[in-house]
Amino acid sequence: MAVKTIWPIDHTCGHHADRDLSDRPADRRAGFAEWLARQECTDCWRASNEGDEQDKAAWLKAKRAEEQTASEAWSEQYRMPPLEGTERAVPWGVRCRHQILANAYTALVTEGTTSEAEWAEIEESARTVTRAGWWIDQRSSEPEDLAELLRAATGADRPTENPFF
């Protein structure tokens, strides 16, 4: 006799469902059915987590706005040029640039052996990279790699005085 594929599940929320577990190996169906019985049904789970998703979205939006404000203030304070890119990429690039340079300063100067004069050169080189996408692409890089990454930035990542280029 074959292991059954349709399992009756009595969820913790009180709802009952007959679940087709044929997509699972036969030796794992019973354990999965037990696990399902310790969960709310899909509808109840969605209903209970719907407010959480809205709260998370609101929190994330507020957090992004706070980060954006701080990044823009930092950009002004350190005379960073405006970034170029799409409407969506520019704010993200500004946040990434701020995070990358702040993390690099901490790692290289505050905790490392880079002098303030050496950092000034790195910072000046960072000012020449104005493509938002470049900063977004580097957001996962290591602080120790920043100087090399800035040297590797191409002409497409830097502004040109020729408007037809």
Side-chain angles (χ1 to χ4, degrees), residues 11-71:
H11 293 280
T12 57
C13 59
H15 292 113
H16 176 82
D18 289 328
R19 290 283 306 263
D20 180 2
L21 302 182
S22 61
D23 62 333
R24 302 208 172 262
D27 63 337
R28 296 186 182 204
R29 292 178 192 155
F32 187 66
E34 288 177 22
W35 179 83
L36 284 173
R38 292 189 305 266
Q39 311 303 315
E40 294 178 315
C41 71
T42 303
D43 292 336
C44 290
W45 182 85
R46 281 191 183 128
S48 68
N49 287 309
E50 190 172 290
D52 288 348
E53 290 301 315
Q54 291 173 349
D55 291 344
K56 286 178 192 173
W59 176 84
L60 185 59
K61 186 176 180 180
K63 181 77 172 157
R64 288 285 183 251
E66 181 183 312
E67 288 175 354
Q68 193 65 38
T69 301
S71 295

Side-chain angles (χ1 to χ4, degrees), residues 112-127:
T113 59
T114 303
S115 70
E116 287 289 341
E118 292 169 321
W119 175 255
E121 290 177 23
I122 292 171
E123 192 175 85
E124 195 56 42
S125 180
R127 283 188 183 90

Side-chain angles (χ1 to χ4, degrees), residues 71-91:
S71 295
E72 289 171 0
W74 176 88
S75 293
E76 271 187 49
Q77 179 182 354
Y78 291 97
R79 302 176 334 275
M80 291 292 162
L83 295 180
E84 301 163 351
T86 65
E87 185 178 320
R88 194 169 162 211
V90 169

Side-chain angles (χ1 to χ4, degrees), residues 89-108:
V90 169
W92 188 14
V94 168
R95 287 193 313 271
C96 289
R97 176 177 62 184
H98 174 215
Q99 292 166 351
I100 290 167
L101 291 174
N103 291 342
Y105 183 84
T106 300
L108 300 175

